[in-house]
Amino acid sequence: MLIKNFIEKMTFLNKKISFIIFIFFLLNISFSSYSLENKIIFKINNEIITSFDITREFKYLALINPKVINLEKNEIFEISKNSIIREKIKKIEILKHVKEIKLEEEFMGRLLNQNFHKLGVKNKNEFKSKINELGFTINEFEEKLSVEALWNQLIYEKYISKVKIDKIKLEKEINLNKKQSVFHLSEIVFNVENKKNYTDKLAMINNEIKKKGFENAALIYSVSETKSLGGDLGWIEENSINKDLANKIKNLKTGEVTQPIVIPGGFLILKLKDTREKIISIDVNDELNKLIKIKTNQQLNQFSNIYFNKIKKNIKIDKI
């Protein structure tokens, strides 16, 4: 329990340290000439977008997806510019259908909780403190979340009747996925001190496999506990194996072996002794509902892009 508490404290501390570094980076970010002065960059209908707005948009994007800080400055500018233009266009359209950009308090609370988790903060007050360090207010952050949520609601109401889901086809996919491969495997685990030793050792192992068989080579060269069994691992279910490794095994014919696979502390060679299919237990209704949700969201996203491009044509965007 003491170890668990220590790990939890260190994990939380690391998150706080990472966030401090992250804040420092964002507070010092610049967009070359655009950061030298606050000037108008675009005009969307009657609304202006300044260089200051674009810098703030980047800080918001980096807050919800820190990976963007690894981009080049010109890429950062383009992404931030396009993001804020997209948001402005969405707001213009949303306000044709609602009186204000605002969500119900309970729904907003759920959205904020999701963002608390991403940043490793405990509550709304701590979250407010952190975004204030970036020059944001909680109201501004909530408005951005509200725009996306209300846009999604608008798209749902306009297009949900046009979403087409082939439930019979999805059920067939689920039934196919109920089949899982099970592999009868043997292993040789070996380690070496340097590259030359690796070449020599592998040559000796391959030679032994060719002359007297895999099991005999395992007895001689393997450092795994299975060596006394000729490297036999027994039957291994596909879902208990790393996906990349499972794919390597699937490409083998019965009796074939893999190329050496790098593992912690050495190398692994596997032999496929046999394979068979196993029917696994799946809650068909549960899986069907998951697939329906995924397919529905995919189609709604397509409708969202179509609708956005349609309304964008009627928006006047001027570069100043």
Side-chain angles (χ1 to χ4, degrees):
M1 184 62 71
L2 288 174
I3 293 174
K4 180 180 179 184
N5 289 338
F6 174 76
I7 291 172
E8 288 175 349
K9 287 178 181 177
M10 288 303 296
T11 300
F12 181 71
L13 180 61
N14 286 337
K15 286 181 178 178
K16 294 187 75 173
I17 292 172
S18 297
F19 193 85
I20 291 169
I21 295 171
F22 178 67
I23 292 291
F24 178 81
F25 176 85
L26 291 183
L27 290 176
N28 289 279
I29 190 68
S30 65
F31 292 125
S32 189
S33 61
Y34 290 107
S35 64
L36 298 177
E37 59 178 316
N38 186 28
K39 59 182 181 180
I40 298 173
I41 307 296
F42 290 97
K43 190 174 182 182
I44 302 177
N45 284 359
N46 294 320
E47 293 193 44
I48 62 172
I49 295 177
T50 68
S51 54
F52 178 71
D53 293 328
I54 294 175
T55 300
R56 282 171 59 81
E57 184 67 12
F58 166 68
K59 291 180 180 180
Y60 169 76
L61 294 175
L63 188 64
I64 61 176
N65 183 10
K67 290 182 180 179
V68 301
I69 66 177
N70 297 320
L71 300 175
E72 299 293 330
K73 284 185 179 180
N74 63 321
E75 295 173 322
I76 287 174
F77 177 79
E78 285 300 313
I79 289 172
S80 303
K81 177 198 74 175
N82 292 335
S83 176
I84 197 167
I85 288 175
R86 192 173 182 85
E87 182 185 83
K88 293 283 188 184
I89 293 173
K90 286 181 178 180
K91 285 175 70 174
I92 291 170
E93 184 64 20
I94 290 168
L95 288 171
K96 293 178 183 178
H97 302 272
V98 298
K99 292 182 179 179
E100 59 179 339
I101 306 292
K102 190 174 182 179
L103 298 179
E104 293 181 3
E105 189 173 336
E106 182 181 350
F107 185 41
M108 176 55 70
R110 291 203 298 270
L111 288 179
L112 285 174
N113 280 332
Q114 293 172 9
N115 283 275
F116 299 164
H117 179 71
K118 290 177 183 176
L119 292 176
V121 298
K122 296 178 180 178
N123 52 51
K124 187 173 182 178
N125 287 333
E126 189 175 345
F127 184 68
K128 285 171 67 175
S129 175
K130 290 191 181 299
I131 64 173
N132 284 342
E133 292 177 41
L134 294 176
F136 286 104
T137 66
I138 191 68
N139 290 337
E140 289 174 315
F141 195 87
E142 287 181 353
E143 182 178 4
K144 284 185 170 295
L145 296 180
S146 298
V147 169
E148 286 307 306
L150 290 171
W151 174 264
N152 290 338
Q153 180 181 326
L154 173 62
I155 297 301
Y156 182 89
E157 291 172 353
K158 288 183 72 68
Y159 292 105
I160 189 61
S161 62
K162 296 185 178 181
V163 171
K164 304 298 180 185
I165 303 293
D166 189 338
K167 291 185 179 181
I168 295 176
K169 182 179 178 180
L170 293 182
E171 285 180 351
K172 287 180 179 178
E173 288 181 17
I174 292 169
N175 287 324
L176 285 174
N177 290 332
K178 289 171 71 174
K179 292 183 179 180
Q180 177 181 276
S181 295
V182 186
F183 311 113
H184 189 184
L185 300 171
S186 290
E187 67 173 356
I188 295 175
V189 177
F190 69 98
N191 47 42
V192 294
E193 295 180 0
N194 54 54
K195 188 175 180 180
K196 183 179 185 303
N197 287 348
Y198 169 81
T199 303
D200 293 341
K201 179 68 76 68
L202 183 58
M204 288 188 291
I205 292 172
N206 285 334
N207 186 55
E208 189 66 29
I209 291 174
K210 187 175 180 179
K211 286 171 58 179
K212 297 185 179 180
F214 190 92
E215 289 70 21
N216 204 66
L219 285 168
I220 298 171
Y221 295 107
S222 183
V223 296
S224 171
E225 293 181 1
T226 62
K227 67 178 296 180
S228 62
L229 301 173
D232 187 57
L233 288 167
W235 288 93
I236 309 292
E237 293 183 359
E238 179 183 351
N239 65 358
S240 66
I241 304 174
N242 172 280
K243 187 176 180 181
D244 290 337
L245 185 56
N247 288 334
K248 285 183 173 68
I249 296 169
K250 281 184 172 181
N251 288 328
L252 297 176
K253 296 178 181 178
T254 300
E256 290 184 339
V257 302
T258 65
Q259 291 296 316
I261 300 162
V262 179
I263 61 173
F267 300 88
L268 168 70
I269 301 174
L270 290 172
K271 175 184 177 181
L272 179 62
K273 299 176 73 173
D274 199 0
T275 184
R276 66 188 183 204
E277 296 294 322
K278 176 184 176 182
I279 303 298
I280 59 175
S281 177
I282 290 179
D283 186 327
V284 176
N285 288 330
D286 185 49
E287 291 298 315
L288 180 60
N289 289 332
K290 288 179 183 177
L291 280 177
I292 288 174
K293 185 176 180 180
I294 291 170
K295 299 294 184 183
T296 298
N297 286 338
Q298 288 174 346
Q299 292 185 41
L300 287 175
N301 284 335
Q302 292 171 354
F303 284 125
S304 176
N305 290 329
I306 292 169
Y307 188 63
F308 179 84
N309 290 331
K310 178 181 176 181
I311 63 173
K312 184 179 179 180
K313 292 178 180 178
N314 298 319
I315 300 292
K316 188 177 180 182
I317 303 174
D318 294 317
K319 186 175 180 179
I320 307 301

